[in-house]
Amino acid sequence: MRRLLSPASPRWTVAGMTTVIAGTVLTAGTANVKGSWAQLTSALPFSVDAILVRLGVGTAADRLVDLGVGPVGDEQVVVPDILFTPGTAGATDRHWTYWPIRLPSGSRLAARCQCVTGAATMEITCELRESLLGRHRQSGQQIEAWGAATADSGGTSVDPGATLHTKGAWSQLTASTGFPCRAIQLIPGVGSNRGRVYARWGVDVGIGPSGDEQLLAENVRILCTGSARDEISPFSGLGRLLPVPVPAGVRVAMRAQCSVTNSADRLFDVVGYGIR
Amino acid sequence: MLRTVSCVGVQAQGFDAATTQWPTAASGVVAHTKGVWAEVVASTPWDACAVEMQIGDSDATNKIHLLDLGIGPPGDEHVLVTDLMLQLPGSGDDSNYPYFFVIPIPKGSRLAIRTQTSTTTSHDVRAVVTLYRAGRTFPQLGTGRISTYGASPSTTRGTSIDPGASANTKGGWVQVAASVDLIRAIQLAFGPAGNVARQTYSWTVDLGIGPSGDEQIVLADIPLASNSGQDEIVTSLYGPCEVFIPSGSRLAMRAACSGADASDRLFDTIAYGIG
């Protein structure tokens, strides 16, 4: 553990890094089935307020990743179904997502994955962060996933529709949130479509019943840079952690407009996450 | 108790629905010189507590941008954050550098952007400026003042970091700034330093503070990677993350690289400190 210089500094360390560069290898089960848990750290060195999850070194195939805590054989999922859809250059690309989740000191941290391709591998490392300023305002106790499609290791498909530069219909991520959320996270993916053309989307997020969605986020950009990468970016960095409170029991949906009308390339997958 | 949400909390500014596009700014035709300001939004819709800036350029020319975000009326723009780095390897990849800053921006503000490149041809940079409404759950860090360290506007570069000739071994510390203001959160940008024929390499990077020869690690083992197909450095942006760096501290960086090629092991960096 790296101790920072000032006593006022938050603590910070990395879990899962096996050598100077490489992360812990996760192996998927049979197609679209979660594989075995792989330990990242046997005991968290301090109470963690946030985790920066880095996923990479995987073949170009859609995956869902769980982060869990607990002893061997009794892991409990704390971050479910993190969507990971590396593109054509998936061999080294590293995607990171930020999770303001509070985990107690001494907990064992592990991860597992599923992939549309059976037995596919990938790597994971986690930065464990203490937050002195945000401890009582930002970190959550529970995370639920909305719209994960475990049958194909993807997410909910969002279709902007065939009319260029026009918001399409709302796609439901969840019919009812399980608890009050202080923030939400959104991870876009390619939905197993690789060989894409360049495309950009303006995305809205809304809550409420069908036909009466109220906007939470408006015209947020996501981008596919084309077949050289075949990735939908930006991956969920802090900028995609939306600090918008969402009540329990509400429907969450997403819609988009796109710069292309190609029936395959205008689509994208998304998984949403509610953070308590 | 959570309040029921009844209004937009996150909104991209300057969105053109007719083209699904966001604002651009053109660099000047003089290399290493900022172009004119381009308006993003004439009047922000509400008090904001944070801003995300995705910057990109779809032109295939190998170049580097340094971009400023400004606030104020035309002709009287004040820089909020300077020299946001965007390094493009020439693949025509409209890369995303999603900078994020927790800074207050009052309702009714005019926001603008300007840029410079390393070339003598004018190039457009696109900036998606997304505001986060005040009163949300981001902790307010200090005054919201952002300081840029390690940028070289005269060459449109960052600070070059050399891991040294021994693979997988941390090289010597490289100074990024001789003295910084108080920093409560930091964001680090990384780029390929204009090298458009890279091998597939990996790095781990340390950020440290303190006098030369007595650097203390603040952030350790930040992983980076390059791919011979895209010639980029990923992750292009790290953070923001909470740190405590006292005013007057010297800022330095070192790295280990999986390879030792004299050109391909190098990368650029610029640090953005929030006080």
Side-chain angles (χ1 to χ4, degrees):
Chain A
M1 181 184 75
R2 304 288 182 181
R3 183 71 184 180
L4 299 178
L5 193 62
S6 165
S9 296
R11 286 173 288 185
W12 183 100
T13 190
V14 177
M17 189 171 285
T18 57
T19 67
V20 172
I21 305 293
T24 296
V25 174
L26 302 181
T27 303
T30 54
N32 303 311
V33 174
K34 290 279 168 54
S36 300
W37 290 99
Q39 178 172 292
L40 302 181
T41 181
S42 59
L44 296 175
F46 47 82
S47 293
V48 170
D49 295 294
I51 298 178
L52 187 71
V53 177
R54 295 180 183 274
L55 307 176
V57 194
T59 52
D62 293 0
R63 294 168 173 80
L64 295 171
V65 179
D66 289 341
L67 207 59
V69 294
V72 175
D74 193 29
E75 293 88 352
Q76 304 300 310
V77 175
V78 293
V79 184
D81 294 325
I82 302 171
L83 184 64
F84 176 45
T85 63
T88 305
T92 56
D93 284 356
R94 298 181 187 276
H95 306 171
W96 61 275
T97 53
Y98 177 86
W99 304 96
I101 181 98
R102 198 171 306 158
L103 300 175
S105 173
S107 303
R108 173 177 171 272
L109 186 66
R112 64 180 182 179
C113 76
Q114 67 176 79
C115 182
V116 68
T117 304
T121 60
M122 57 175 286
E123 288 187 7
I124 182 173
T125 59
C126 293
E127 286 182 15
L128 311 175
R129 295 182 180 177
E130 181 182 54
S131 174
L132 301 180
L133 291 173
R135 170 159 287 171
H136 300 294
R137 296 176 60 182
Q138 190 174 13
S139 296
Q141 299 286 354
Q142 191 176 3
I143 296 175
E144 66 173 3
W146 308 324
T150 54
D152 64 4
S153 301
T156 295
S157 181
V158 178
D159 186 355
T163 304
L164 203 61
H165 307 310
T166 304
K167 290 281 170 64
W170 290 97
S171 294
Q172 178 174 294
L173 299 185
T174 182
S176 177
T177 50
F179 44 73
C181 305
R182 64 182 67 235
I184 64 175
Q185 175 91 283
L186 300 163
I187 302 179
V190 300
S192 291
N193 176 12
R194 294 171 174 85
R196 286 175 169 265
V197 300
Y198 171 93
R200 57 188 183 271
W201 295 262
V203 173
D204 294 343
V205 181
I207 59 172
S210 178
D212 192 30
E213 291 86 355
Q214 304 299 309
L215 288 174
L216 292 183
E218 189 172 21
N219 299 327
V220 174
R221 185 178 87 155
I222 59 174
L223 184 71
C224 176
T225 54
S227 59
R229 295 183 65 89
D230 279 326
E231 294 174 316
I232 305 288
S233 68
F235 317 106
S236 209
L238 185 60
R240 286 298 167 261
L241 177 70
L242 306 181
V244 287
V246 177
V250 302
R251 173 177 172 272
V252 180
M254 177 179 281
R255 67 178 182 180
Q257 66 181 76
C258 186
S259 63
V260 303
T261 56
N262 175 297
S263 59
D265 294 345
R266 73 183 191 233
L267 305 180
F268 65 93
D269 266 11
V270 66
V271 179
Y273 306 84
I275 300 167
R276 188 169 197 161
Chain B
M1 180 182 73
L2 292 173
R3 292 180 293 114
T4 300
V5 174
S6 60
C7 52
V8 175
V10 178
Q11 185 184 67
Q13 303 301 299
F15 178 64
D16 182 355
T19 59
T20 312
Q21 271 293 12
W22 293 262
T24 60
S27 65
V29 295
V30 177
H32 316 306
T33 304
K34 289 279 171 44
V36 298
W37 289 101
E39 182 174 284
V40 172
V41 59
S43 178
T44 52
W46 19 256
D47 290 334
C49 66
V51 59
E52 179 193 76
M53 293 186 63
Q54 296 178 42
I55 58 177
D57 178 348
S58 58
D59 179 75
T61 306
N62 174 30
K63 59 186 164 315
I64 301 166
H65 280 274
L66 294 181
L67 179 143
D68 294 346
L69 174 67
I71 187 170
D76 193 29
E77 292 88 352
H78 293 263
V79 175
L80 276 178
V81 56
T82 190
D83 295 333
L84 297 178
M85 181 168 68
L86 170 64
Q87 296 210 358
L88 295 157
S91 62
D93 187 346
D94 190 359
S95 297
N96 276 294
Y97 274 54
Y99 290 91
F100 183 83
F101 300 105
V102 180
I103 53 170
I105 297 177
K107 176 182 177 180
S109 298
R110 174 179 176 272
L111 297 178
I113 54 174
R114 65 179 183 180
T115 188
Q116 66 181 76
T117 70
S118 48
T119 72
T120 55
T121 303
S122 178
H123 294 282
D124 286 350
V125 68
R126 191 170 308 281
V128 184
V129 179
T130 302
L131 297 181
Y132 292 75
R133 197 172 190 135
R136 304 299 164 171
T137 56
F138 286 121
Q140 188 64 42
L141 298 172
T143 63
R145 179 196 66 248
I146 302 166
S147 299
T148 300
Y149 303 105
S152 174
S154 62
T155 57
T156 312
R157 289 278 304 272
T159 296
S160 180
I161 306 298
D162 185 354
S166 298
N168 297 318
T169 303
K170 291 278 172 69
W173 290 98
V174 177
Q175 179 171 296
V176 177
S179 177
V180 302
D181 296 323
L182 172 65
I183 296 175
R184 299 181 187 273
I186 197 164
Q187 190 155 25
L188 301 172
F190 300 102
N195 179 354
V196 298
R198 286 186 163 268
Q199 301 179 57
T200 299
Y201 276 178
S202 298
W203 295 259
T204 54
V205 177
D206 295 340
L207 182 72
I209 62 173
S212 178
D214 192 28
E215 290 86 354
Q216 305 298 311
I217 294 174
V218 174
L219 296 173
D221 296 329
I222 300 167
L224 304 180
S226 66
N227 181 290
S228 59
Q230 281 71 49
D231 297 317
E232 294 179 295
I233 302 290
V234 293
T235 301
S236 56
L237 280 182
Y238 176 80
C241 61
E242 188 181 338
V243 295
F244 182 84
I245 299 178
S247 174
S249 299
R250 170 179 173 271
L251 196 66
M253 183 175 285
R254 67 178 184 181
C257 183
S258 61
D261 180 272
S263 296
D264 293 347
R265 71 186 192 232
L266 305 180
F267 62 90
D268 266 10
T269 191
I270 298 178
Y272 306 90
I274 302 173

